[in-house]
Structure formats: C-alpha cells, structure tokens
Amino acid sequence: MYETVSDEVVTYPNGALTQHLSKMDVGDKIGVRGPKGAFTYTPNMAKEICMVAGGTGITPMLQIIRAILRNPQDQTKIRLIFGNVTKDDILLEKELSDLVQKHGDQFTVYHVLNEPPSGWAHGIGFITQEMLEEKFPKPAGDIKVLVCGPPPLVKAITNATTSLGFEAPRTVSKLTDQVFKF
C-alpha cells in the first residue's frame, strides 16, 4: 500500500519515521503496511473495552469508539488512556472531548503527557502499570484491552497488563485475545 506524503507531519527529534518523512517532499510516495492483527468490532462484544493509545495510535481506537457510541443498543463502556508528548500533540482532542461530554456515562478519556503545561490535571510522564490499575477495571472475561502506539509503549503496556492479571497477548493478536495489540 502506498500513501502520499502530505504537509502535516509532526517531527520528533528521536522519531526515526518522522525524521525520514520530514525530509520528503509533498507528493512523494512511501510504502507502508500494518496494522498487525485483525480486529472486527461487534456491538456488545465486551462489557468494557479499555484502550491505551500513543500518538497516532488513536486512529484504530477512534474508529471503534465511534462505532460503539453511534449505536444506542451498544452498552459497551470505553475507557481510553491516551499518551502524547505535549498538549499540542493530542490528535482529535476536541472530538474526543465532545464525545466524552455527550457520552460521559459510557466513555472516559485520561490524557498522559511527557511535557505537560503548568496546571495539567491528567497524567504526567509515561503510561504506567499504576495508571492502568487506577483507570481500568480488574481483569475479567468480559473486559478487553486494546493497545496501539509506538513499539516501546506497546511492549510496556503488554508487560503491565500481564502483570495485572490479563491474559498475555500473542505476537500477532487475534480477535479472541483479551489484550489486543494493533
């Protein structure tokens, strides 16, 4: 699959991909693949879906969030922990905020920033096992955890969820996995 490079690339000093993309010209093509695993959402497939997203990892999460919240028969509760470097890096912040305001009984978001502004009321630093323990329900058969983000985040969350008692995910996730890695 080939995607056309646009002029909306956020460049991070340590980001190998973003550094490469920033050197390309608008209109250049790049080959991409992924995500790994095949996740097909069906209404009420879990009592709660807990999501951990880092940066652009919000993309598959938002598709699932929208599918759940637009279906009045779907009673699935959604808890999202969304990590970014700065407040300006939070993709779709207004849409997420609007969805929380409209569906606060069903959808919550907890933001975590590495470099928060002064007075920041959410998480600071990296997403930790303690944050998962505080914001997510205890492991149970009707709870799913979805993870998407940079490889270090996915690895850390995989280790944390396993330590908390969730079933360890496979290398390439399957729909039946309790912890699903995109």
Side-chain angles (χ1 to χ4, degrees):
M1 173 183 201
Y2 287 90
E3 296 289 331
T4 302
V5 175
S6 75
D7 60 354
E8 296 188 29
V9 175
V10 177
T11 305
Y12 294 101
N14 297 324
L17 178 62
T18 63
Q19 289 293 321
H20 177 76
L21 291 175
S22 71
K23 294 175 182 147
M24 296 178 74
D25 293 323
V26 172
D28 285 354
K29 302 226 182 252
I30 184 169
V32 295
R33 63 184 169 134
K36 295 179 182 175
F39 189 89
T40 303
Y41 180 76
T42 56
N44 297 303
M45 70 185 299
K47 179 181 176 185
E48 289 195 50
I49 294 182
C50 303
M51 302 175 167
V52 179
T56 58
I58 191 64
T59 308
M61 306 302 186
L62 188 59
Q63 292 174 347
I64 296 164
I65 292 164
R66 287 174 179 158
I68 293 169
L69 297 180
R70 76 172 161 247
N71 181 350
Q73 270 62 59
D74 197 335
Q75 299 303 305
T76 306
K77 292 199 179 297
I78 313 157
R79 301 182 195 210
L80 169 66
I81 298 178
F82 188 17
N84 286 281
V85 177
T86 69
K87 188 166 183 343
D88 289 340
D89 294 331
I90 301 173
L91 299 173
L92 305 159
E93 182 180 19
K94 179 165 178 10
E95 180 173 354
L96 291 169
S97 178
D98 290 347
L99 289 170
V100 167
Q101 213 161 15
K102 188 173 179 184
H103 303 279
D105 57 327
Q106 192 175 7
F107 177 49
T108 62
V109 177
Y110 183 69
H111 292 283
V112 180
L113 298 178
N114 293 91
E115 299 170 14
S118 64
W120 179 249
H122 287 248
I124 298 172
F126 293 108
I127 299 170
T128 65
Q129 181 174 323
E130 291 74 23
M131 288 176 191
L132 301 181
E133 198 166 18
E134 179 185 326
K135 299 296 178 185
F136 289 173
K138 298 219 178 298
D142 55 358
I143 306 294
K144 278 200 172 290
V145 178
L146 309 181
V147 185
C148 189
L153 173 124
V154 173
K155 182 177 182 187
I157 299 307
T158 298
N159 292 337
T161 54
T162 303
S163 293
L164 290 171
F166 289 93
E167 296 169 15
R170 300 172 229 221
T171 303
V172 177
S173 294
K174 304 280 186 208
L175 187 59
T176 56
D177 291 352
Q178 186 175 33
V179 176
F180 187 96
K181 303 181 297 184
F182 286 93

